[in-house]
Amino acid sequence: MLNKINIYEYFSQTLFFMMKKFKLWVILFFIVVTVVFTWPLLPHLHNGLTIIQVDPLLNTWILSWDGHAMLHSPTGLFQANIMYPAGDVLA
């Protein structure tokens, strides 16, 4: 009976470490795939958006506002502060 318990513990620990190693390989794989598919963006993170390009900045602000509003006040999602006196500017 003692041998069966030791074998069970051995295999459960081995399986645990194998799954941990497998998960690390999967995470590494997806990091590499992300870098490959977004390659031109990675070396230009510091200067990817210029002032001349207004639409990417606006879309970035809208996504940021949506995230902020969903966390802090979901009912005020459309009451953004981009054009302050006007209401429901994102509707």
Side-chain angles (χ1 to χ4, degrees), residues 8-27:
Y8 175 74
E9 288 177 3
Y10 171 76
F11 282 120
S12 66
Q13 288 176 355
T14 305
L15 183 63
F16 173 75
F17 288 120
M18 285 174 57
M19 289 301 294
K20 196 172 182 181
K21 188 176 180 181
F22 177 73
K23 288 178 185 179
L24 288 174
W25 278 110
V26 168
I27 290 171

Side-chain angles (χ1 to χ4, degrees), residues 38-89:
T38 61
W39 174 247
L41 182 63
L42 189 64
H44 299 289
L45 285 177
H46 64 286
N47 63 356
L49 293 176
T50 61
I51 301 300
I52 298 169
Q53 299 172 340
V54 178
D55 286 342
L57 293 176
L58 176 65
N59 290 332
T60 303
W61 180 87
I62 290 172
L63 287 174
S64 173
W65 172 259
D66 288 344
H68 170 78
M70 292 304 286
L71 286 176
H72 297 288
S73 62
T75 57
L77 177 66
F78 297 112
Q79 285 83 27
N81 60 357
I82 194 165
M83 298 176 207
Y84 170 65
D88 294 335
V89 293

